[in-house]
Coordinates of all heavy atoms in Angstrom, one line a residue:
M91 N -39.8 -4.7 -10.2 CA -38.7 -4.5 -11.2 C -37.4 -4.0 -10.5 O -37.4 -3.2 -9.7 CB -39.2 -3.5 -12.3 CG -38.3 -3.1 -13.2 SD -38.8 -1.6 -14.1 CE -38.4 -2.1 -15.7
I92 N -36.4 -4.7 -11.0 CA -35.1 -4.4 -10.3 C -34.4 -3.4 -11.2 O -34.3 -3.4 -12.5 CB -34.1 -5.6 -10.3 CG1 -34.7 -6.7 -9.5 CG2 -32.9 -5.3 -9.8 CD1 -34.0 -8.0 -9.4
E93 N -33.9 -2.2 -10.4 CA -33.4 -1.1 -11.2 C -31.8 -1.3 -11.1 O -31.3 -1.6 -10.0 CB -33.7 0.1 -10.5 CG -33.2 1.4 -11.3 CD -33.7 2.7 -10.6 OE1 -34.9 2.7 -10.2 OE2 -32.9 3.6 -10.6
R94 N -31.1 -1.4 -12.3 CA -29.7 -1.5 -12.3 C -29.0 -0.2 -12.4 O -29.4 0.6 -13.1 CB -29.3 -2.4 -13.5 CG -29.8 -3.8 -13.3 CD -29.2 -4.7 -14.4 NE -27.7 -4.7 -14.2 CZ -27.0 -5.8 -14.1 NH1 -27.6 -6.9 -14.2 NH2 -25.8 -5.6 -13.9
K95 N -28.0 0.1 -11.6 CA -27.3 1.2 -11.6 C -26.2 1.3 -12.7 O -25.5 0.3 -12.7 CB -26.7 1.6 -10.2 CG -26.0 2.8 -10.0 CD -25.4 2.9 -8.6 CE -24.7 4.2 -8.4 NZ -24.1 4.3 -7.1
A96 N -26.1 2.3 -13.5 CA -25.0 2.4 -14.4 C -23.7 2.7 -13.7 O -23.6 3.5 -12.7 CB -25.3 3.5 -15.4
H97 N -22.6 2.1 -14.1 CA -21.3 2.3 -13.5 C -20.4 2.7 -14.5 O -20.5 2.6 -15.8 CB -20.8 0.9 -13.1 CG -21.5 0.3 -11.9 ND1 -21.6 0.8 -10.6 CD2 -22.3 -0.8 -12.0 CE1 -22.5 0.0 -10.0 NE2 -22.9 -1.0 -10.8
E98 N -19.4 3.5 -14.0 CA -18.3 4.0 -14.8 C -17.1 3.0 -14.7 O -16.7 2.7 -13.5 CB -17.8 5.4 -14.5 CG -18.7 6.5 -14.9 CD -18.1 7.9 -14.7 OE1 -17.0 8.0 -14.6 OE2 -19.0 8.7 -14.4
Y99 N -16.7 2.3 -15.7 CA -15.8 1.2 -15.6 C -14.3 1.7 -15.9 O -14.1 2.6 -16.8 CB -16.1 0.0 -16.4 CG -17.3 -0.7 -16.1 CD1 -18.5 -0.4 -16.7 CD2 -17.3 -1.6 -15.1 CE1 -19.6 -0.9 -16.3 CE2 -18.4 -2.3 -14.7 CZ -19.7 -2.0 -15.3 OH -20.8 -2.7 -15.0
T100 N -13.4 1.2 -15.3 CA -11.9 1.3 -15.7 C -11.6 -0.1 -16.3 O -11.8 -1.1 -15.7 CB -11.0 1.6 -14.4 OG1 -11.5 2.9 -13.9 CG2 -9.6 1.6 -14.9
Y101 N -11.1 -0.1 -17.5 CA -10.8 -1.3 -18.2 C -9.3 -1.6 -18.2 O -8.5 -0.6 -18.4 CB -11.3 -1.3 -19.6 CG -12.8 -1.4 -19.7 CD1 -13.6 -0.3 -19.6 CD2 -13.4 -2.6 -19.9 CE1 -14.9 -0.3 -19.7 CE2 -14.9 -2.6 -19.9 CZ -15.6 -1.5 -19.8 OH -16.9 -1.6 -19.9
L102 N -8.8 -2.9 -18.1 CA -7.5 -3.3 -18.3 C -7.4 -4.6 -19.2 O -8.1 -5.5 -18.9 CB -6.9 -3.6 -16.9 CG -5.5 -4.1 -16.8 CD1 -4.5 -3.1 -17.3 CD2 -5.1 -4.4 -15.5
K103 N -6.7 -4.4 -20.2 CA -6.4 -5.5 -21.1 C -5.0 -6.0 -21.1 O -4.2 -5.1 -21.5 CB -6.9 -5.2 -22.6 CG -6.8 -6.3 -23.5 CD -7.2 -5.8 -24.9 CE -7.0 -7.0 -25.9 NZ -7.4 -6.5 -27.3
L104 N -4.7 -7.1 -20.4 CA -3.4 -7.6 -20.5 C -3.0 -8.6 -21.5 O -3.8 -9.6 -21.6 CB -3.2 -8.3 -19.0 CG -3.2 -7.3 -17.8 CD1 -3.1 -8.2 -16.5 CD2 -2.2 -6.3 -17.9
P105 N -1.9 -8.4 -22.1 CA -1.4 -9.5 -23.0 C -1.0 -10.6 -22.2 O -0.8 -10.5 -21.1 CB -0.3 -8.7 -23.8 CG 0.1 -7.5 -23.0 CD -1.1 -7.2 -22.1
P106 N -0.7 -11.7 -22.9 CA -0.5 -13.1 -22.3 C 0.9 -13.0 -21.6 O 1.2 -14.1 -21.0 CB -0.6 -14.0 -23.3 CG -0.5 -13.3 -24.7 CD -0.9 -12.0 -24.4
E107 N 1.8 -12.0 -21.8 CA 3.0 -12.1 -21.0 C 3.0 -12.2 -19.5 O 2.4 -11.3 -18.9 CB 3.9 -10.8 -21.5 CG 4.4 -10.9 -22.9 CD 3.3 -10.4 -23.9 OE1 2.5 -9.7 -23.5 OE2 3.4 -10.8 -25.0
R108 N 3.7 -13.2 -18.9 CA 3.6 -13.3 -17.5 C 4.1 -12.2 -16.8 O 3.6 -11.9 -15.7 CB 4.4 -14.6 -17.2 CG 4.4 -15.0 -15.8 CD 5.0 -16.4 -15.6 NE 4.8 -16.9 -14.3 CZ 3.7 -17.4 -13.7 NH1 2.7 -17.4 -14.3 NH2 3.7 -17.8 -12.5
E109 N 5.0 -11.4 -17.2 CA 5.6 -10.3 -16.6 C 4.6 -9.2 -16.3 O 4.7 -8.3 -15.4 CB 6.8 -9.7 -17.3 CG 7.8 -10.6 -17.7 CD 7.6 -11.4 -18.9 OE1 7.2 -10.8 -19.9 OE2 7.8 -12.6 -18.9
L110 N 3.5 -9.1 -17.1 CA 2.5 -8.1 -16.9 C 1.3 -8.5 -16.0 O 0.5 -7.6 -15.7 CB 2.0 -7.7 -18.4 CG 2.9 -7.1 -19.2 CD1 2.3 -7.0 -20.6 CD2 3.7 -5.9 -18.7
R111 N 1.5 -9.6 -15.5 CA 0.3 -10.1 -14.6 C 0.1 -9.3 -13.4 O -1.0 -9.0 -12.9 CB 0.6 -11.6 -14.1 CG -0.4 -12.2 -13.3 CD -0.1 -13.6 -12.9 NE -0.4 -14.4 -14.2 CZ -0.3 -15.7 -14.1 NH1 0.0 -16.4 -13.0 NH2 -0.6 -16.4 -15.2
S112 N 1.2 -8.7 -12.8 CA 1.0 -7.9 -11.6 C 0.3 -6.6 -11.9 O -0.1 -5.9 -10.9 CB 2.4 -7.6 -11.0 OG 3.1 -6.8 -11.9
C113 N 0.1 -6.2 -13.1 CA -0.5 -4.9 -13.4 C -2.0 -5.0 -12.9 O -2.6 -3.9 -12.4 CB -0.6 -4.6 -14.9 SG 1.1 -4.3 -15.6
V114 N -2.6 -6.0 -12.8 CA -4.0 -6.1 -12.4 C -4.0 -5.8 -10.9 O -4.9 -5.1 -10.3 CB -4.7 -7.5 -12.6 CG1 -4.0 -8.6 -11.8 CG2 -6.2 -7.4 -12.5
G115 N -3.0 -6.2 -10.1 CA -2.9 -5.8 -8.7 C -2.7 -4.4 -8.5 O -3.3 -3.7 -7.6
L116 N -1.9 -3.7 -9.3 CA -1.6 -2.2 -9.3 C -3.0 -1.5 -9.4 O -3.3 -0.6 -8.7 CB -0.7 -1.8 -10.2 CG 0.8 -2.3 -9.9 CD1 1.7 -1.9 -11.2 CD2 1.3 -1.7 -8.8
V117 N -3.8 -2.0 -10.4 CA -5.1 -1.2 -10.6 C -6.0 -1.4 -9.5 O -6.6 -0.5 -9.1 CB -5.7 -1.8 -12.0 CG1 -7.1 -1.2 -12.1 CG2 -4.9 -1.4 -13.3
L118 N -6.1 -2.7 -9.0 CA -7.0 -2.9 -7.8 C -6.6 -2.1 -6.6 O -7.4 -1.5 -5.9 CB -7.1 -4.4 -7.6 CG -8.0 -4.8 -6.4 CD1 -9.5 -4.4 -6.8 CD2 -7.9 -6.3 -6.1
A119 N -5.3 -2.1 -6.4 CA -4.8 -1.2 -5.2 C -5.1 0.2 -5.3 O -5.5 0.9 -4.5 CB -3.3 -1.5 -5.0
G120 N -5.1 0.7 -6.6 CA -5.3 2.1 -6.8 C -6.8 2.4 -6.7 O -7.1 3.4 -6.1
M121 N -7.7 1.5 -7.2 CA -9.1 1.7 -6.9 C -9.5 1.7 -5.5 O -10.3 2.4 -5.1 CB -9.8 0.6 -7.8 CG -9.6 0.7 -9.2 SD -10.5 2.1 -10.1 CE -12.1 1.5 -10.0
A122 N -8.9 0.8 -4.8 CA -9.1 0.7 -3.3 C -8.7 1.9 -2.6 O -9.4 2.5 -1.7 CB -8.5 -0.6 -2.7
A123 N -7.6 2.3 -3.0 CA -7.1 3.8 -2.3 C -8.0 4.8 -2.7 O -8.4 5.7 -1.8 CB -5.7 4.0 -2.8
R124 N -8.5 4.9 -3.9 CA -9.4 5.9 -4.4 C -10.7 5.9 -3.6 O -11.3 6.9 -3.3 CB -9.6 5.8 -5.9 CG -10.5 6.9 -6.4 CD -10.6 6.8 -7.9 NE -11.6 7.7 -8.4 CZ -12.1 7.7 -9.5 NH1 -11.8 6.7 -10.4 NH2 -13.0 8.6 -10.0
A125 N -11.2 4.6 -3.3 CA -12.4 4.5 -2.5 C -12.3 4.6 -1.1 O -13.1 4.4 -0.3 CB -13.1 3.2 -2.9
R126 N -11.0 4.7 -0.7 CA -10.6 4.8 0.7 C -11.0 3.6 1.5 O -11.7 3.6 2.5 CB -11.2 6.1 1.4 CG -10.6 7.2 0.8 CD -11.1 8.5 1.6 NE -10.2 9.7 1.3 CZ -10.7 10.5 0.4 NH1 -11.8 10.4 -0.3 NH2 -9.9 11.6 0.2
I127 N -10.7 2.4 0.8 CA -11.1 1.1 1.4 C -9.8 0.6 2.0 O -8.7 0.7 1.5 CB -11.6 0.1 0.3 CG1 -13.0 0.6 -0.1 CG2 -11.8 -1.3 0.9 CD1 -13.5 -0.2 -1.4
G128 N -10.0 0.0 3.2 CA -8.8 -0.7 3.8 C -8.3 -1.7 3.0 O -8.9 -2.3 2.1
V129 N -6.9 -2.1 3.3 CA -6.2 -3.0 2.5 C -6.3 -4.5 3.0 O -5.6 -5.3 2.6 CB -4.8 -2.6 2.2 CG1 -4.7 -1.3 1.4 CG2 -4.0 -2.5 3.7
G130 N -7.1 -4.7 4.1 CA -7.4 -6.0 4.5 C -7.8 -6.9 3.4 O -8.7 -6.6 2.7
N131 N -7.1 -8.1 3.3 CA -7.5 -9.1 2.2 C -7.0 -8.7 0.8 O -7.5 -9.3 -0.1 CB -8.8 -9.6 2.2 CG -9.3 -10.3 3.5 OD1 -8.4 -10.9 4.1 ND2 -10.4 -10.1 4.0
L132 N -6.5 -7.5 0.7 CA -6.0 -7.0 -0.7 C -5.1 -8.0 -1.4 O -5.2 -8.3 -2.6 CB -5.3 -5.7 -0.6 CG -5.1 -5.0 -1.9 CD1 -6.2 -4.8 -2.8 CD2 -4.3 -3.7 -1.7
D133 N -4.1 -8.7 -0.6 CA -3.2 -9.6 -1.2 C -4.0 -10.9 -1.8 O -3.6 -11.3 -2.9 CB -2.2 -10.1 -0.2 CG -1.1 -9.1 0.1 OD1 -0.9 -8.1 -0.7 OD2 -0.5 -9.1 1.2
E134 N -5.0 -11.4 -1.0 CA -5.8 -12.4 -1.5 C -6.6 -12.1 -2.7 O -6.6 -12.9 -3.7 CB -6.7 -13.0 -0.4 CG -6.0 -13.6 0.8 CD -5.6 -12.5 1.8 OE1 -5.8 -11.4 1.7 OE2 -4.9 -13.0 2.9
A135 N -7.1 -10.9 -2.8 CA -8.0 -10.4 -3.9 C -7.0 -10.3 -5.1 O -7.4 -10.8 -6.1 CB -8.6 -9.0 -3.6
I136 N -5.8 -9.8 -5.0 CA -4.9 -9.7 -6.0 C -4.4 -11.1 -6.6 O -4.4 -11.3 -7.8 CB -3.6 -8.8 -5.6 CG1 -4.0 -7.4 -5.5 CG2 -2.5 -8.9 -6.7 CD1 -3.0 -6.5 -4.8
D137 N -4.2 -12.0 -5.8 CA -3.8 -13.3 -6.1 C -4.8 -14.0 -6.9 O -4.7 -14.6 -7.9 CB -3.5 -14.2 -4.8 CG -2.1 -13.8 -4.2 OD1 -1.3 -13.2 -4.9 OD2 -1.9 -14.3 -3.0
L138 N -6.1 -13.7 -6.5 CA -7.3 -14.3 -7.1 C -7.4 -13.8 -8.6 O -7.5 -14.5 -9.4 CB -8.6 -14.0 -6.3 CG -9.9 -14.6 -7.0 CD1 -9.8 -16.0 -7.0 CD2 -11.1 -14.1 -6.2
L139 N -7.3 -12.4 -8.7 CA -7.3 -11.8 -10.1 C -6.2 -12.3 -10.9 O -6.4 -12.5 -12.1 CB -7.4 -10.3 -9.8 CG -8.6 -9.7 -9.4 CD1 -8.5 -8.1 -9.3 CD2 -9.8 -9.9 -10.5
E140 N -5.1 -12.3 -10.4 CA -3.8 -12.7 -11.2 C -4.1 -14.2 -11.8 O -3.5 -14.5 -12.8 CB -2.6 -12.7 -10.4 CG -2.1 -11.2 -10.1 CD -0.8 -11.2 -9.3 OE1 -0.4 -12.1 -8.8 OE2 -0.3 -10.0 -9.3
G141 N -4.7 -14.9 -11.0 CA -5.0 -16.4 -11.3 C -5.9 -16.4 -12.7 O -5.9 -17.5 -13.3
F142 N -6.6 -15.3 -13.0 CA -7.5 -15.4 -14.1 C -6.6 -14.9 -15.4 O -7.1 -15.1 -16.5 CB -8.6 -14.4 -14.0 CG -9.7 -15.0 -13.2 CD1 -9.9 -14.7 -11.9 CD2 -10.6 -15.8 -13.7 CE1 -10.7 -15.3 -11.0 CE2 -11.7 -16.5 -12.9 CZ -11.8 -16.1 -11.6
H143 N -5.5 -14.5 -15.2 CA -4.6 -14.0 -16.3 C -4.2 -15.1 -17.2 O -3.6 -16.1 -16.7 CB -3.4 -13.2 -15.7 CG -2.5 -12.7 -16.9 ND1 -1.3 -13.1 -17.1 CD2 -2.7 -11.7 -17.8 CE1 -0.7 -12.6 -18.1 NE2 -1.6 -11.6 -18.6
S144 N -4.5 -15.1 -18.4 CA -4.3 -16.2 -19.4 C -2.8 -16.0 -20.0 O -2.5 -14.8 -20.4 CB -5.3 -16.2 -20.5 OG -4.9 -17.1 -21.4
E145 N -2.1 -17.1 -20.2 CA -0.9 -17.1 -20.9 C -1.1 -17.4 -22.4 O -0.1 -17.5 -23.1 CB 0.1 -17.9 -20.1 CG 0.5 -17.3 -18.8 CD 1.6 -18.2 -18.1 OE1 2.3 -19.0 -18.7 OE2 1.8 -18.0 -17.0
S146 N -2.3 -17.7 -22.8 CA -2.5 -18.0 -24.2 C -3.2 -17.0 -25.0 O -3.4 -17.2 -26.3 CB -3.4 -19.4 -24.2 OG -4.7 -19.1 -23.6
G147 N -3.6 -15.9 -24.4 CA -4.4 -14.8 -25.1 C -4.5 -13.6 -24.1 O -4.4 -13.8 -22.9
P148 N -5.1 -12.5 -24.6 CA -5.3 -11.3 -23.8 C -6.4 -11.6 -22.8 O -7.2 -12.3 -23.0 CB -5.8 -10.3 -24.8 CG -5.4 -10.7 -26.1 CD -5.3 -12.3 -26.0
T149 N -6.3 -11.0 -21.6 CA -7.2 -11.1 -20.6 C -7.8 -9.7 -20.4 O -7.0 -8.8 -20.2 CB -6.7 -11.7 -19.3 OG1 -6.0 -13.0 -19.6 CG2 -7.7 -11.9 -18.2
R150 N -9.0 -9.5 -20.3 CA -9.7 -8.3 -20.0 C -10.3 -8.3 -18.7 O -11.0 -9.2 -18.3 CB -10.7 -8.0 -21.1 CG -10.0 -7.8 -22.4 CD -11.2 -7.4 -23.5 NE -11.7 -6.2 -23.1 CZ -12.9 -5.8 -23.6 NH1 -13.6 -6.5 -24.5 NH2 -13.5 -4.7 -23.0
F151 N -10.0 -7.2 -17.9 CA -10.6 -6.9 -16.6 C -11.3 -5.6 -16.7 O -10.9 -4.8 -17.5 CB -9.5 -6.9 -15.5 CG -8.6 -8.1 -15.4 CD1 -7.5 -8.2 -16.0 CD2 -9.1 -9.1 -14.5 CE1 -6.7 -9.4 -15.9 CE2 -8.3 -10.2 -14.3 CZ -7.0 -10.5 -15.0
R152 N -12.3 -5.4 -15.7 CA -13.0 -4.0 -15.6 C -13.2 -3.9 -14.1 O -13.4 -4.9 -13.4 CB -14.1 -3.9 -16.5 CG -15.4 -4.7 -16.1 CD -16.4 -4.4 -17.0 NE -17.7 -5.0 -16.6 CZ -18.8 -4.8 -17.4 NH1 -18.9 -4.1 -18.4 NH2 -19.9 -5.5 -16.8
F153 N -13.1 -2.8 -13.7 CA -13.3 -2.4 -12.3 C -14.3 -1.2 -12.2 O -14.3 -0.3 -13.0 CB -11.9 -1.8 -11.7 CG -10.8 -2.9 -11.9 CD1 -10.1 -2.8 -13.2 CD2 -10.4 -3.6 -10.8 CE1 -9.1 -3.8 -13.4 CE2 -9.4 -4.6 -11.1 CZ -8.7 -4.5 -12.2
F154 N -15.0 -1.2 -11.1 CA -15.9 0.0 -10.8 C -15.9 0.2 -9.3 O -15.7 -0.7 -8.5 CB -17.3 -0.2 -11.5 CG -18.2 -1.1 -11.0 CD1 -19.0 -0.9 -9.8 CD2 -18.2 -2.5 -11.5 CE1 -19.8 -1.9 -9.3 CE2 -19.1 -3.4 -11.0 CZ -19.9 -3.1 -9.9
L155 N -16.2 1.5 -9.0 CA -16.4 2.0 -7.6 C -18.0 2.1 -7.5 O -18.5 2.7 -8.4 CB -15.8 3.3 -7.3 CG -14.3 3.4 -7.6 CD1 -13.8 4.9 -7.3 CD2 -13.6 2.5 -6.5
D156 N -18.4 1.7 -6.4 CA -19.9 1.7 -6.1 C -20.0 2.0 -4.6 O -19.8 1.1 -3.8 CB -20.6 0.5 -6.5 CG -22.1 0.6 -6.3 OD1 -22.7 1.6 -6.4 OD2 -22.8 -0.5 -6.1
E157 N -20.3 3.2 -4.2 CA -20.5 3.6 -2.8 C -19.2 3.3 -2.2 O -18.2 3.8 -2.4 CB -21.7 3.0 -2.3 CG -23.0 3.5 -2.9 CD -24.3 2.8 -2.3 OE1 -24.2 2.2 -1.2 OE2 -25.3 2.9 -3.0
D158 N -19.3 2.3 -1.1 CA -18.1 2.0 -0.4 C -17.4 0.7 -0.7 O -17.0 -0.1 0.1 CB -18.4 1.9 1.1 CG -18.9 3.3 1.7 OD1 -18.4 4.3 1.1 OD2 -19.5 3.3 2.7
R159 N -17.4 0.4 -2.0 CA -16.9 -0.9 -2.5 C -16.3 -0.7 -3.9 O -16.6 0.1 -4.7 CB -17.9 -2.0 -2.5 CG -18.9 -1.8 -3.6 CD -20.1 -2.8 -3.5 NE -21.0 -2.6 -4.6 CZ -21.4 -3.5 -5.5 NH1 -21.1 -4.9 -5.4 NH2 -22.4 -3.4 -6.2
V160 N -15.3 -1.6 -4.2 CA -14.7 -1.8 -5.4 C -15.1 -3.2 -6.0 O -14.9 -4.2 -5.2 CB -13.1 -1.7 -5.4 CG1 -12.5 -1.9 -6.7 CG2 -12.8 -0.3 -4.9
V161 N -15.5 -3.4 -7.2 CA -15.8 -4.6 -7.8 C -14.8 -4.8 -9.0 O -14.7 -3.9 -9.8 CB -17.2 -4.6 -8.3 CG1 -17.5 -6.0 -9.0 CG2 -18.1 -4.5 -7.0
A162 N -14.2 -6.0 -9.1 CA -13.3 -6.4 -10.2 C -14.1 -7.5 -10.9 O -14.5 -8.5 -10.2 CB -12.0 -6.7 -9.7
E163 N -14.2 -7.4 -12.3 CA -14.7 -8.4 -13.2 C -13.7 -8.8 -14.2 O -12.8 -8.1 -14.6 CB -16.0 -7.8 -13.8 CG -17.0 -7.3 -12.8 CD -18.3 -6.7 -13.5 OE1 -18.1 -6.2 -14.6 OE2 -19.3 -6.7 -12.8
V164 N -13.9 -10.0 -14.7 CA -13.1 -10.6 -15.7 C -14.0 -10.9 -16.8 O -15.2 -11.4 -16.6 CB -12.3 -11.8 -15.2 CG1 -13.0 -13.0 -14.8 CG2 -11.2 -12.1 -16.3
E165 N -13.6 -10.7 -18.1 CA -14.4 -11.0 -19.2 C -14.3 -12.6 -19.4 O -13.2 -13.2 -19.4 CB -13.9 -10.4 -20.5 CG -14.8 -10.7 -21.7 CD -14.3 -9.8 -23.0 OE1 -13.1 -9.7 -23.2 OE2 -15.2 -9.3 -23.6
D166 N -15.5 -13.3 -19.8 CA -15.5 -14.7 -20.0 C -15.0 -14.9 -21.4 O -15.5 -14.5 -22.4 CB -16.9 -15.0 -19.9 CG -17.1 -16.6 -20.0 OD1 -16.2 -17.2 -20.6 OD2 -18.1 -17.1 -19.7
S167 N -13.8 -15.5 -21.6 CA -13.2 -15.6 -22.9 C -14.1 -16.5 -23.8 O -13.9 -16.4 -25.1 CB -11.8 -16.3 -22.7 OG -12.0 -17.6 -22.1
S168 N -14.9 -17.3 -23.3 CA -15.7 -18.1 -24.2 C -17.0 -17.5 -24.6 O -17.7 -17.8 -25.5 CB -16.2 -19.4 -23.4 OG -16.9 -19.3 -22.3
H169 N -17.3 -16.3 -23.9 CA -18.4 -15.5 -24.3 C -18.0 -14.0 -24.2 O -18.4 -13.2 -23.3 CB -19.6 -15.7 -23.4 CG -20.2 -17.1 -23.3 ND1 -19.8 -18.1 -22.5 CD2 -21.1 -17.6 -24.2 CE1 -20.5 -19.1 -22.8 NE2 -21.2 -19.0 -23.9
P170 N -17.2 -13.5 -25.2 CA -16.8 -12.1 -25.3 C -18.0 -11.2 -25.1 O -19.2 -11.3 -25.5 CB -16.2 -11.9 -26.6 CG -15.9 -13.3 -27.0 CD -16.8 -14.2 -26.5
G171 N -17.7 -10.1 -24.2 CA -18.8 -9.2 -23.8 C -19.5 -9.5 -22.6 O -20.3 -8.8 -22.1
S172 N -19.3 -10.8 -22.1 CA -20.0 -11.3 -20.9 C -18.9 -11.1 -19.8 O -17.8 -11.6 -19.8 CB -20.3 -12.7 -21.1 OG -21.0 -13.2 -20.0
W173 N -19.3 -10.5 -18.7 CA -18.4 -10.3 -17.6 C -18.9 -10.9 -16.3 O -20.0 -11.0 -16.1 CB -18.3 -8.7 -17.3 CG -17.7 -7.9 -18.4 CD1 -18.4 -7.4 -19.5 CD2 -16.4 -7.7 -18.6 NE1 -17.6 -6.8 -20.3 CE2 -16.3 -6.9 -19.8 CE3 -15.2 -7.9 -17.9 CZ2 -15.1 -6.4 -20.2 CZ3 -14.0 -7.4 -18.4 CH2 -14.0 -6.7 -19.6
R174 N -17.9 -11.4 -15.5 CA -18.3 -11.9 -14.2 C -17.5 -11.3 -13.1 O -16.2 -11.2 -13.3 CB -18.4 -13.4 -14.2 CG -16.9 -14.0 -14.3 CD -17.0 -15.6 -14.2 NE -15.7 -16.1 -14.6 CZ -15.3 -17.1 -14.0 NH1 -15.9 -17.8 -13.1 NH2 -14.1 -17.5 -14.4
P175 N -18.2 -10.9 -12.1 CA -17.5 -10.4 -10.8 C -16.7 -11.5 -10.2 O -17.2 -12.6 -10.0 CB -18.6 -10.0 -10.0 CG -19.9 -10.3 -10.5 CD -19.7 -11.0 -11.8
V176 N -15.4 -11.1 -9.8 CA -14.5 -12.1 -9.1 C -14.1 -11.6 -7.8 O -13.7 -12.4 -6.9 CB -13.4 -12.6 -10.0 CG1 -14.0 -13.5 -11.1 CG2 -12.7 -11.5 -10.6
V177 N -14.0 -10.3 -7.6 CA -13.6 -9.7 -6.4 C -14.4 -8.5 -5.9 O -14.8 -7.7 -6.8 CB -12.0 -9.2 -6.6 CG1 -11.6 -8.3 -5.4 CG2 -11.2 -10.4 -6.7
E178 N -14.7 -8.3 -4.7 CA -15.5 -7.2 -4.2 C -14.8 -6.9 -2.9 O -14.7 -7.7 -2.0 CB -16.9 -7.6 -3.9 CG -17.7 -6.4 -3.4 CD -19.2 -6.6 -3.3 OE1 -19.6 -7.7 -3.8 OE2 -19.8 -5.8 -2.6
L179 N -14.2 -5.7 -2.8 CA -13.7 -5.1 -1.7 C -14.6 -4.1 -1.1 O -15.1 -3.2 -1.8 CB -12.3 -4.4 -1.9 CG -11.2 -5.3 -2.5 CD1 -10.0 -4.5 -2.9 CD2 -10.8 -6.4 -1.5
V180 N -14.9 -4.2 0.3 CA -15.8 -3.4 0.9 C -15.2 -2.7 2.0 O -14.4 -3.4 2.8 CB -17.1 -4.2 1.3 CG1 -18.1 -3.3 2.0 CG2 -17.6 -5.0 0.3
S181 N -15.6 -1.5 2.3 CA -14.9 -0.8 3.4 C -15.5 -1.0 4.7 O -16.6 -1.7 4.8 CB -15.0 0.7 3.2 OG -16.3 1.1 3.2

């Protein structure tokens, strides 16, 4: 039996305005700093997350810290409540 660990999530819901797209990068950078993870590949991770931002409706992201890593997930717009991991930063 696989035991799943419960996580405390930080949620970010972005409206479709293009000017707010960079907010996801600020949250990821803050989470990485909190976890004391180096910033190598942070720009690429931010670009990837920003690519999921929709201009046709709200986009929901969630983040969690787990030991020495930060995981960023995006909600599947076709299946609300279903999340998929898209970025993992490891120290």
